[in-house]
Amino acid sequence: MRVVFAGTPEFAAVALDALLAAGFTVPLVLTQPDRPAGRGLKLQASAVKQRAAAAGLAVAQPQGLKLDGRYAADAAAARAALQAADADVMVVAAYGLILPQWVLDLPRRGCLNIHASLLPRWRGAAPIHRAIEAGDAETGITIMQMDAGLDTGDMLLTGREPIGAGDTTATLHDRLAALGGRLIVQALRAPALARTPQPAEGVSYAHKIDKAESAIDWTRPAAEIERRLRAFDPFPGGVATLAGEAVKVWRAEIADGRGAPGEVIAPGPVVACGEGALRLTELQRAGGKRGPAAAFLQARPVAVGERFDPT
């Protein structure tokens, strides 16, 4: 079977590794163009491009795929490369570009998507983050036959994964990436898979994470803020202001106590919320490294009565 692969971040790279380890022929890999990254803003290849290069695979990086769009020349070149690849199927995982109909129709078996949720819950760009933020007890992977909608295609295969009380997006991401790799290999090896339309009930959308969401609203319940901190680890974290200084809050745990939202009500520091309180356990000063609250307090003591405000 000839499998064209389209993906960009580490989540997708794990799936590409699984396809190669399973012995599938991958004549072409599509991934996003190199982007500036790091303090020096040097161009950096995506995780998928790095894996593909290491495996000696052909790579295309179109800026767009609409044949009549802004990047029509890129799209035309991508179409020629896809036609030459003569794929039986395209596997897509966190690619980052919408696939127009001509792409969906090109492979003989169409395009299969590895989506990090149990559809139809959490369609969209940030399903792992939003599942943790919402307090879901479980999530999973759905292998889906792609259509023109946003994660609306028929379901072919699902795998479930519990969300632990201490899970962050980083830890859950790694387990789901491995599960996605296993399931896509299983799906491609199966002689036939039943196509199950997604139910109309239970649809929700995982909107892209905005950096502005990092501002901690201390008027919210402690349990909600704690989940959001785990959902926003490793990006964008939680941010509050302490005496004019921006402080990143990475981890916290539920604590007892009452006070004005944002007020430090006990050593730790323990901060009052709209409902309940949080003991902040992992913090980071501007320009510093994230670390345990004890290390933060050695450099910047926090007195009871001080106040954390949103940035």
Side-chain angles (χ1 to χ4, degrees):
M1 183 180 294
R2 295 174 64 81
V3 182
V4 165
F5 186 83
T8 298
E10 181 62 26
F11 179 87
V14 172
L16 177 58
D17 288 342
L19 292 173
L20 294 174
F24 291 103
T25 299
V26 182
L28 179 66
V29 170
L30 299 182
T31 191
Q32 287 277 311
D34 297 358
R35 305 290 190 200
R39 292 187 177 180
L41 295 180
K42 294 182 179 179
L43 287 179
Q44 181 171 317
S46 72
V48 164
K49 182 180 178 180
Q50 293 177 47
R51 296 288 219 291
L57 305 178
V59 175
Q61 297 177 271
Q63 296 186 76
L65 291 169
K66 292 184 178 180
L67 295 170
D68 58 352
R70 179 182 177 186
Y71 302 107
D74 272 21
R79 181 172 64 173
L82 285 167
Q83 289 172 334
D86 190 29
D88 295 296
V89 66
M90 177 186 283
V91 170
V92 182
Y95 177 33
L97 288 182
I98 295 174
L99 302 188
Q101 195 63 46
W102 72 262
V103 177
L104 299 175
D105 293 340
L106 197 57
R108 285 179 281 276
R109 289 179 55 180
C111 301
L112 305 187
N113 180 244
I114 307 170
H115 187 75
S117 80
L118 298 173
L119 292 170
R121 187 163 176 78
W122 301 129
R123 295 173 179 171
I128 302 176
H129 306 72
R130 299 307 183 188
I132 294 175
E133 183 184 19
D136 291 0
E138 67 172 358
T139 184
I141 292 288
T142 304
I143 305 297
M144 175 189 66
Q145 187 80 43
M146 296 181 71
D147 61 15
L150 176 62
D151 299 327
T152 55
D154 291 346
M155 301 179 292
L156 303 177
L157 201 60
T158 60
R160 310 181 91 84
E161 180 66 30
I163 301 177
D167 265 327
T168 65
T169 287
T171 60
L172 187 56
H173 165 281
D174 290 352
R175 299 204 306 277
L176 289 175
L179 178 59
R182 294 194 298 272
L183 288 183
I184 193 60
V185 168
Q186 181 181 339
L188 294 179
R189 284 178 170 167
L193 288 171
R195 293 177 56 156
T196 304
Q198 295 185 35
E201 301 80 23
V203 174
S204 61
Y205 289 91
H207 299 290
K208 184 178 179 180
I209 302 299
D210 191 309
K211 192 174 181 180
E213 294 182 75
S214 64
I216 298 174
D217 181 357
W218 299 102
T219 67
R220 305 303 303 168
E224 181 181 312
I225 297 172
E226 188 273 339
R227 291 197 307 268
R228 177 169 276 213
L229 292 176
R230 290 189 288 112
F232 289 0
D233 184 359
F235 175 85
V239 183
T241 300
L242 181 65
E245 178 185 357
V247 176
K248 275 212 166 185
V249 182
W250 289 106
R251 298 297 295 273
E253 57 189 28
I254 305 297
D256 295 326
R258 298 178 62 182
E263 179 187 0
V264 178
I265 57 174
V270 177
V271 182
C273 304
E275 181 180 304
L278 287 174
R279 178 177 288 103
L280 310 187
T281 59
E282 191 171 346
L283 299 166
Q284 180 179 1
R285 299 186 75 179
K289 295 181 179 180
R290 61 186 286 182
F296 177 93
L297 293 173
Q298 285 183 342
R300 201 294 188 191
V302 178
V304 173
E306 286 196 78
R307 185 184 179 93
F308 284 87
D309 295 309
T311 54

